[in-house]
Amino acid sequence: MTRIAIIGGHGKVALLLSAMLADEGHSVTSFIRNPDHSADVAGTGATPVVLDVENATTAEIAGALEGHDALVWSAGAGGGNPGRTYAVDRDAAIRSMDAAAQAGVDRYVMVSYLGAGKNHGVPEDNSFYAYAEAKAAADEYLRGSKLAWTILGPGALTDNPGTGLIDVDPAPGGSRETSRANTAIVAAAVLDLPETAGRTIEFRDGTLPVAAALERP
């Protein structure tokens, strides 16, 4: 049994992921900001822990992560407020990486998005700009860390059923739809595949079973 921590535990992807991991026999600690969400998280089989990562120090996050084997970042400010977006999606995410290193949690899985990076192409007057900038900075910091990291880049998220079928590194111009369930399936899969460390895996709903799609060509 592996002890896995999820930050952003009440998000739709995180709830699906915690249920999958718990079903596989892992011990899941799900960090949430709102104590009112505890029952939803507990219903997946995870243990809810209230931790406001936006305001928590690196040391506080490290203390909460002690004893875990892996960390999945699936948190987000939810858009709408650029200041809070930078505070959560960039600053808190980076503190969680430093905290993981301090706590000896070497495996780190970041849920990002398809197309994230310095050259995201989002204009400054677009409401998505702060999120794109924040994720680019967080992802870059993670790549420069000594953690065993994997960055996941799902396309446009939907609530469609999970098929377990994806396409990795999809060509531009096609559908970018990616179900949250498939995103959770991929996150669960990479946690079981240490060889995916050091990889950025962009994907969408597709045609290959996840295990086959994740194999290096």
Side-chain angles (χ1 to χ4, degrees):
M1 181 176 70
T2 304
R3 292 195 68 199
I4 299 170
I6 301 175
I7 293 180
H10 194 254
K12 291 182 179 180
V13 170
L15 289 169
L16 292 166
L17 175 60
S18 60
M20 291 176 192
L21 295 173
D23 285 347
E24 291 174 2
H26 298 293
S27 173
V28 182
T29 305
S30 221
F31 294 102
I32 54 176
R33 182 174 60 89
N34 187 342
D36 293 342
H37 294 157
S38 295
D40 292 340
V41 169
T44 69
T47 300
V49 174
V50 176
L51 178 69
D52 180 5
V53 292
E54 181 180 356
N55 297 299
T57 65
T58 301
E60 288 169 341
I61 300 171
L65 294 177
E66 286 284 351
H68 290 84
D69 302 299
L71 170 60
V72 178
W73 176 276
S74 191
N81 182 326
R84 187 156 184 268
T85 296
Y86 286 117
V88 175
D89 294 279
R90 182 191 62 194
D91 301 341
I94 287 172
R95 285 199 302 277
S96 78
M97 298 166 200
D98 292 340
Q102 286 184 23
V105 182
D106 185 53
R107 189 73 172 105
Y108 190 111
V109 176
M110 165 64 76
V111 179
S112 189
Y113 71 93
L114 177 59
K118 288 182 179 179
N119 300 318
H120 53 69
V122 179
E124 287 191 43
D125 60 355
N126 189 300
S127 61
F128 193 71
Y129 179 79
Y131 179 76
E133 284 285 287
K135 293 301 280 185
D139 290 357
E140 182 179 18
Y141 190 90
L142 182 57
R143 291 188 185 101
S145 76
K146 295 182 179 179
L147 297 169
W149 57 266
T150 303
I151 297 172
L152 302 182
L157 295 174
T158 73
D159 288 323
N160 294 334
T163 61
L165 302 172
I166 62 170
D167 290 332
V168 170
D169 297 328
S175 170
R176 297 168 69 91
E177 286 196 352
T178 315
S179 71
R180 289 179 172 85
N182 275 348
T183 302
I185 290 168
V186 173
V190 300
L191 285 166
D192 280 335
L193 296 169
E195 62 269 28
T196 59
R199 290 180 58 189
T200 299
I201 301 169
E202 297 192 318
F203 61 96
R204 66 180 180 198
D205 292 343
T207 57
L208 281 177
V210 166
L214 293 178
E215 290 180 358
R216 284 194 179 274

